[in-house]
Amino acid sequence: MARKAYPDIPLFRYAYTPLSEAEVAQKLAPAALAGPQSASELEEIAPQRLSFVASDGTRLTWQFSSGRQVALEGERSGGYGALTVDHITLIAHLIPGTRRGYALAWDRHDNRATVFELWFGTPGPAPQPREVNRAIWHGVIEGGPSPTGEMHAPTGRVQGRAIMWAEDTGNRTVDYYASSAFSHWVELDRSDEGRGYSGPSDYIKLTEDLYLYTRTEAEFSGLWHMLVMDANRLQAAGLRLGFDGLDTLEYYMFRGTGEWLGQIANFMKFEDVSGDPLAMPDGPKGARRVYRPLETMDKMTPAEVNAAVAASTHVFDRASAMAGHGLPPSGALAGKAFAVHYDGGPVIEYRFTAHDELQWREGGGAWTTARYNAWENMPGVFIFGHLLAGKPDHDGHVVVADLDSGKATCFRGYLNTPYFANEAGAQTMFGKLVGEGIPDPGNARHERTTDLLGSAFTWSYSPGLTSMHVYSSPNTVSWVIFTPSGHGGAQWSGSGDYVKIRDQLYFVRWQEEACNGTLGTILINMRTMHDSGIGYHCGKNGLSMSPVGAYARLAGRWDVAKYLGTKRGGYAV
């Protein structure tokens, strides 16, 4: 694997160095003395003693001196950086001889302030020393004007926005704030891959205009990224701290200019603007809910996969909570026969002998009987799926067949992928139907589409089982799990693909990579706001194909096409 500062493979596949605390301390030492770098001119705080008192009684005191030097009381002096947005000054420094630092957002009008303690390693909840921990206090700076309004506080006011931020470094990022506890971002310049990622985030209201946003690139590099943003002027000052893929320290402040990309609907109660819906108030210092799905994922070898599949395989033979609101399976294919000719791929012949049983063969070979389910999401268009017994990678085909146009598309799921043998890989195959009464489409095919790019759909699978899909880039699907209050909560993302079947009818897949290994597929009918789909999953309990079906709501759409419409990227498992 080639080492790069910003890898051109998915970040969840990159082998980040497990830096030790000693290695982290060594890399931080010169930066703590010098202070953060910046492409913009850093400001100086007039020499003074600055005392912060938090709402819980925590007290922190800094002594600022000339030459952009600062010392936290009881600690060595080092360099600092400061940038102001309107009347909020963001100050950042590291403490020499430690793995700690602070970021302070100070309202110069009324002395309200929010302080982040940032540190690497123990004691802290992050599992790796390279991942930044953070603890937050809200309070006031003593002396001068006294606050007259509410203290800074977590907020849900930012949820639903998307903004493209251009740093003074030249780096641009599309930020999706689809949750009040996580965020999703797509790098436009640091990486060419065009893939989106998700990580835990903080959203803090400073004033009606000014907000503070952070994200930790947990499970990846561990980098910390924060902004003080002016929502009206779309100006920002920020801090970036952590180690890139080459283990080089990034410690700089920046100014940013934003472009508003839109706002989608929120689903909290109308009067609920609260934030931090996944708070852990009784947890240890810095505790937060971080989605680390790889920790609990089954990680199997090919031999273990083969044994599990042989021991237990389930195909549409039990109820699925993911289809509680799904359409009933259709029996309309029973008695039909056709072949699917895939471009540059196999020819699969089908005889549908019953509403849930078919026979298939490849390339004129022997017929094999398989269980299937099918749904007719739009008149003449069926989605059906089955396993291909005997295939070495335990293939499952999910096929959309348009009997009126003669076009067909298949999402092929398969196992024995390189990272974890039970993690589903996916291939998109385009082709045509050949059968009695089915028109020949010639060279016309279903096509990949960006029609859904920037869209967000909520899904209600069963009572109490809901999520939201964020179609953030041409090769990414992200999903947000709602909290009981209707806030966006935990969020993850994986490889995706989007195919247009007809107007307002789309075939979508996503892979829950480094998560649980599932391949999810759905056929979305935007005219009825209902979908039908199939999940393909393998774990220690065996292999399954199961139905997916939900009521949909279009939460909205962000205008991201000019940044991401042609940035396909992609990665073949």
Side-chain angles (χ1 to χ4, degrees):
M1 180 183 295
R3 309 297 295 176
K4 294 187 68 174
Y6 287 89
D8 52 10
I9 64 171
L11 300 185
F12 48 78
R13 302 300 194 199
Y14 189 74
Y16 288 98
T17 306
L19 296 172
S20 68
E21 291 184 352
E23 289 172 319
V24 169
Q26 182 180 30
K27 291 174 180 290
L28 294 178
L33 293 172
Q37 297 181 345
S38 179
S40 294
E41 184 177 358
L42 292 171
E43 301 162 11
E44 288 209 32
I45 306 297
Q48 62 182 291
R49 184 179 175 85
L50 207 65
S51 292
F52 168 81
V53 180
S55 56
D56 67 357
T58 297
R59 180 178 291 272
L60 298 166
T61 300
W62 290 271
Q63 180 63 54
F64 289 86
S65 54
S66 59
R68 278 208 308 273
Q69 292 291 296
V70 67
L72 182 69
E73 191 167 63
E75 302 285 359
R76 292 172 55 193
S77 177
Y80 73 86
L83 291 172
T84 298
V85 177
D86 197 273
H87 54 92
I88 304 290
T89 298
L90 177 64
I91 304 169
H93 73 103
L94 297 173
I95 301 173
T98 75
R99 302 184 308 278
R100 295 165 47 226
Y102 287 86
L104 165 65
W106 175 19
D107 189 324
R108 306 298 284 272
H109 282 180
D110 62 12
N111 282 327
R112 289 178 297 170
T114 292
V115 171
F116 289 83
E117 182 178 354
L118 307 173
W119 75 98
F120 297 85
T122 55
Q128 295 282 345
R130 70 177 298 138
E131 184 178 310
V132 176
N133 295 289
R134 94 322 173 220
I136 309 173
W137 291 273
H138 306 295
V140 298
I141 300 297
E142 290 186 320
S146 297
T148 56
E150 298 176 349
M151 292 295 100
H152 298 165
T155 184
R157 292 281 302 280
V158 179
Q159 182 175 303
R161 304 177 193 179
I163 299 174
M164 189 287 294
W165 289 108
E167 296 180 14
D168 55 14
T169 61
N171 290 314
R172 299 168 302 155
T173 308
V174 173
D175 283 354
Y176 294 93
Y177 308 136
S179 161
S180 288
F182 276 66
S183 63
H184 184 77
W185 68 95
V186 183
E187 297 284 4
L188 299 180
D189 300 296
R190 291 185 177 96
S191 171
D192 291 329
E193 197 198 9
R195 183 185 295 271
Y197 298 96
S198 305
S201 297
D202 302 297
Y203 300 92
I204 296 167
K205 181 184 175 185
L206 307 179
T207 71
E208 174 64 18
D209 297 332
L210 296 157
Y211 296 83
L212 196 154
Y213 156 70
T214 83
R215 70 167 178 263
T216 305
E217 299 187 8
E219 295 294 271
F220 312 130
S221 68
L223 273 158
W224 164 270
H225 186 95
M226 72 181 296
L227 294 172
V228 172
M229 66 172 82
D230 185 323
N232 281 315
R233 298 173 183 85
L234 291 175
Q235 298 296 313
L239 169 68
R240 194 164 170 88
L241 173 65
F243 300 96
D244 66 19
L246 294 176
D247 305 325
T248 301
L249 176 66
E250 290 191 22
Y251 177 41
Y252 68 86
M253 300 186 73
F254 59 90
R255 291 196 178 276
T257 301
E259 180 180 340
W260 178 265
L261 300 177
Q263 168 83 44
I264 64 167
N266 289 322
F267 299 99
M268 305 88 83
K269 290 181 179 179
F270 283 119
E271 67 275 12
D272 186 356
V273 294
S274 63
D276 202 6
L278 301 179
M280 299 178 66
D282 299 325
K285 180 180 177 180
R288 67 192 314 183
R289 299 191 190 278
V290 179
Y291 197 24
R292 302 188 191 277
L294 189 58
E295 291 182 357
T296 56
M297 176 184 170
D298 291 341
K299 305 171 187 67
M300 300 167 68
T301 66
E304 290 171 328
V305 163
N306 292 340
V309 172
S312 179
T313 296
H314 292 274
V315 181
F316 306 118
D317 60 355
R318 51 190 178 183
S320 169
M322 292 293 289
H325 292 154
L327 294 168
S330 170
L333 289 181
K336 296 185 183 296
F338 55 73
V340 186
H341 293 232
Y342 292 110
D343 300 338
V347 174
I348 307 289
E349 296 177 74
Y350 289 103
R351 300 192 301 210
F352 295 88
T353 55
H355 72 280
D356 62 356
E357 183 182 276
L358 59 76
Q359 294 179 330
W360 66 272
R361 68 178 179 179
E362 181 177 348
W367 291 97
T368 299
T369 299
R371 183 177 175 86
Y372 82 100
N373 271 183
W375 296 267
E376 189 174 7
N377 274 53
M378 189 176 278
V381 182
F382 294 84
I383 177 173
F384 69 92
H386 65 99
L387 293 179
L388 283 72
K391 290 286 186 179
D393 295 328
H394 311 290
D395 292 18
H397 281 197
V398 182
V399 181
V400 169
D402 187 335
L403 302 188
D404 293 341
S405 72
K407 301 173 187 176
T409 298
C410 174
F411 291 150
R412 170 189 168 242
Y414 58 95
L415 304 177
N416 296 325
T417 48
Y419 293 91
F420 311 106
N422 58 301
E423 185 181 66
Q427 177 188 10
T428 301
M429 302 191 297
F430 298 97
K432 69 176 184 177
L433 302 172
V434 176
E436 184 177 351
I438 299 174
D440 183 351
N443 293 325
R445 297 291 184 266
H446 298 145
E447 295 181 349
R448 286 191 168 93
T449 183
T450 57
D451 285 3
L452 298 180
L453 179 62
S455 297
F457 286 79
T458 67
W459 300 105
S460 175
Y461 303 101
S462 292
L465 183 56
T466 59
S467 72
M468 181 168 66
H469 282 180
V470 174
Y471 300 142
S472 64
S473 89
N475 64 353
T476 308
V477 172
S478 181
W479 51 97
V480 179
I481 306 303
F482 288 110
T483 68
S485 64
H487 287 81
Q491 184 173 12
W492 195 245
S493 43
S495 299
D497 205 357
Y498 306 87
V499 177
K500 184 172 185 176
I501 304 301
R502 292 184 184 176
D503 289 345
Q504 292 83 52
L505 187 65
Y506 299 96
F507 195 20
V508 176
R509 68 167 167 88
W510 69 95
Q511 293 162 255
E512 301 193 6
E513 298 153 311
C515 179
N516 60 37
T518 296
L519 168 64
T521 70
I522 52 176
L523 182 60
I524 304 171
N525 186 336
M526 291 186 64
R527 296 179 180 176
T528 62
M529 295 305 284
H530 216 166
D531 74 342
S532 295
I534 295 169
Y536 170 85
H537 173 80
C538 183
K540 291 181 178 178
N541 293 325
L543 176 63
S544 66
M545 289 189 87
S546 55
V548 175
Y551 299 128
R553 290 186 295 189
L554 180 60
R557 183 172 183 173
W558 298 284
D559 185 12
V560 298
K562 75 176 184 179
Y563 293 112
L564 297 168
T566 59
K567 199 173 180 67
R568 173 138 198 96
Y571 177 72
V573 174

